[in-house]
Amino acid sequence: MATELCPLDLAELERPALEAALEARGHRAFHARQIFGWIYRLGVADVARMTDLSRELRAMLADEFVVSTPALAGREKSIDGTEKFLIRFADGRTVESVYIPDTPAMTFCISTQVGCAMACAFCLTGRMGLVRNLTAGEIAGQVRVLAEAVHMREGFIDPEGFAPADPPRLRSRGRGTPLRSGGRACGAPAFNIVLMGMGEPLHNYDATMKALRILADEYGFNLSPRRVTLSTVGLLPALEKLAHEPVMPNLAISLHAPTDVQRGELVPLNRKYGVADIIAACKRFPQRRRHRITFEYVLLAGVNDRPDDARRLAKLLAGVKSKINLIPLNAAPGIPFERPSDEAVDRFARILADHDLVVSVRKSRGRDIRAACGQLIVDTGRKSPAQQLAALAFG
C-alpha cells in the first residue's frame, strides 16, 4: 500500500533548503528567490498568485508544498498605541505578540515558545509552564502576520505603488542586491524585532536561530541582525553557542539581581548557572564596535531596588561593555510583587550613572491591555505535563 507523502511547508524552509527541494523536482534553484520575495516581502501565501513563476512550477508547488500562516485570533490596542495580537497556530495553540510603535523605530515583540519553563517569579508567562516550542516557521510567521496587520510592508513597495493583487516581478542580479523588474533595489523593513515575548529563546535554540536566518535572508525580509535583540535569562551552553553564530542578534541578559541569593529566588535557573558564570560568559561574548550587551533589571519594591543593590550591581558590571535597562515592575494579578516608587527608581538609576554605567529606565507600554514586559499569558485549555508541574509549584 503506497504511503502518501506529507507536503513540505515553504514557511519552514530556509532558502538553500528550498533551492535544493526545487532542484530535486527538476526546477531551477533561482526560483527560491522569487518564492521568498512573494511570501516575505509581499505577503502572498497563495502560490497561484505568484505570477512570475511558470504555470508548471505553480502546479507543482500547489501539489507538493503548503505555506502555513498563523491566524490572527485577537487584537487589542492600548491608549498609548501599543497593540497586542493573539496568534493561533495550526494545532490550536496560541501565543501573544506585541507591536510597539515609535520606540523610536517600530518594534515587534515576538514569542518563541507557548509558555515558558524558566518560571521567573515576576513573569506571568512563567506561570504557564512550557506547553511546547514554536517552529522556525511559527516564529517567523508572527512577523509576517504583524507586518501585514500594521501595514509595515511599505518598505518593499515601489514609490509609484501597485495593487497588492498584482505586484511587480522580483528578480536578482547575480549574488547582489535583490532588484525589482525596473532595476530598483528592494527596501529593508522599517521595524525592529525583540525576542522578548513568551518563552526563552535559547531554550528553543535551533528553531529560533533558523527563524532569524529566514528573516535575515536578502530575498525575504532582509532583516539585519542589528535590528534584532534576543533576550535570555542565561542558558550558558546555548549562550556560548550563540557567540559563534553567523547571524548574531543583539544580546540582552535578564539579570534582575546582583547576587546569587537574590537572583536564585527570582530566576530559578540561577541555581544552575550563577551570576558570576553569566558575567564571565558575557565578557567572552564577541561584540561589534560601539555595541554593548544590555542587562535587563526588573525593579521590585523592597526586593532588589535598594541603594545597596544598585551599588552591588555597579560593582558586578564594572569592566563589562554594557548598558542597563531598568524596568519598573508591570504589576498584574498573580504576580506577588509591587512596583517601586518613582523616587526609588530614580535613586537606583542615579547610583548606577554615578558609577559611569550607561543606564535607561524603560517606559512601560501597553500596560492597560497587559501587553507590557512580563504580562503575556494565554489560556491553553488542557494542561500539558509541564504546566501541571508549574501549577503545583506556584499553587
Side-chain angles (χ1 to χ4, degrees):
M1 182 176 175
T3 302
E4 190 172 316
L5 296 177
C6 294
L8 287 175
D9 189 347
L10 293 174
E12 296 289 348
L13 297 180
E14 296 177 61
R15 183 162 53 84
L18 177 54
E19 290 172 347
L22 292 175
E23 287 186 319
R25 289 159 175 80
H27 295 274
R28 296 176 66 182
F30 79 88
H31 292 304
R33 304 173 187 175
Q34 297 169 295
I35 294 168
F36 255 59
W38 284 100
I39 294 173
Y40 296 100
R41 289 180 175 272
L42 301 176
V44 174
D46 180 0
V47 296
R49 294 177 56 200
M50 300 180 183
T51 50
D52 60 349
L53 304 179
S54 69
R55 288 177 179 168
E56 178 189 3
L57 176 52
R58 280 181 280 164
M60 185 277 293
L61 290 173
D63 287 342
E64 300 188 30
F65 293 83
V66 296
V67 185
S68 64
T69 301
L72 180 53
R75 183 173 184 172
E76 295 180 78
K77 190 168 185 176
S78 167
I79 56 174
D80 63 25
T82 299
E83 293 191 68
K84 182 171 70 172
F85 297 85
L86 183 66
I87 306 294
R88 178 173 291 119
F89 303 110
D91 65 351
R93 294 296 189 183
T94 57
V95 297
E96 291 181 327
S97 308
V98 181
Y99 165 59
I100 313 168
D102 306 319
T103 52
M106 311 304 174
T107 299
F108 294 164
C109 180
I110 299 302
S111 296
T112 55
Q113 297 175 309
V114 181
C116 183
M118 299 299 105
C120 296
F122 48 82
C123 179
L124 284 180
T125 307
R127 292 181 173 268
M128 292 174 58
L130 177 63
V131 181
R132 71 168 176 87
N133 287 327
L134 298 185
T135 67
E138 289 170 336
I139 296 170
Q142 293 169 71
V143 181
R144 292 165 51 209
V145 171
L146 266 63
E148 188 70 27
V150 299
H151 311 294
M152 292 294 289
R153 296 189 186 275
E154 282 78 359
F156 302 126
I157 297 176
D158 289 326
E160 293 88 351
F162 57 85
D166 187 27
R169 294 188 176 192
L170 296 166
R171 67 180 181 89
S172 63
R173 182 173 59 205
R175 295 185 178 180
T177 304
L179 301 176
R180 295 201 180 280
S181 56
R184 288 162 290 193
C186 292
F191 54 80
N192 298 330
I193 290 177
V194 292
L195 298 174
M196 299 180 183
M198 298 171 66
E200 161 58 54
L202 296 188
H203 194 213
N204 187 17
Y205 187 92
D206 291 340
T208 296
M209 297 314 300
K210 181 179 176 181
L212 294 186
R213 292 191 297 270
I214 290 172
L215 293 170
D217 192 284
E218 62 179 330
Y219 294 94
F221 272 123
N222 194 26
L223 186 72
S224 168
R226 293 172 183 264
R227 284 185 169 270
V228 180
T229 299
L230 183 152
S231 176
T232 176
V233 295
L235 280 165
L236 283 193
L239 187 60
E240 300 280 6
K241 189 176 179 181
L242 180 66
H244 303 287
E245 286 286 347
V247 176
M248 186 184 296
N250 301 311
L251 181 62
I253 300 292
S254 294
L255 190 61
H256 310 309
T259 70
D260 282 328
V261 172
Q262 287 174 298
R263 193 168 189 263
E265 293 296 318
L266 300 175
V267 182
L269 186 70
N270 195 80
R271 298 161 196 166
K272 185 171 185 179
Y273 305 118
V275 169
D277 298 324
I278 292 172
I279 299 302
C282 289
K283 288 180 177 179
R284 296 191 298 270
F285 201 85
Q287 285 296 303
R288 295 183 293 268
R289 188 179 178 184
R290 296 190 300 275
H291 276 243
R292 300 171 182 268
I293 293 176
T294 297
F295 289 89
E296 298 166 311
Y297 194 102
V298 172
L299 287 165
L300 311 172
V303 177
N304 64 353
D305 65 337
R306 294 165 293 225
D308 284 348
D309 296 320
R311 285 187 279 269
R312 280 192 287 265
L313 180 61
K315 182 178 180 180
L316 178 69
L317 297 182
V320 182
K321 194 175 181 181
S322 64
K323 58 183 177 182
I324 304 167
N325 191 351
L326 298 178
I327 310 167
L329 175 71
N330 295 303
I335 297 178
F337 301 101
E338 297 295 331
R339 184 184 183 92
S341 67
D342 290 344
E343 292 76 15
V345 173
D346 290 343
R347 181 179 62 229
F348 200 97
R350 281 198 304 272
I351 291 171
L352 296 177
D354 288 345
H355 284 79
D356 298 321
L357 293 170
V358 178
V359 59
S360 62
V361 178
R362 183 185 296 180
K363 179 182 177 182
S364 294
R365 301 288 296 270
R367 289 174 63 191
D368 56 315
I369 58 170
R370 283 176 50 167
C373 177
Q375 292 187 319
L376 301 184
I377 188 169
V378 296
D379 181 5
T380 59
R382 180 175 54 85
K383 303 298 183 185
S384 70
Q387 286 179 287
Q388 294 172 24
L389 289 174
L392 290 173
F394 293 114

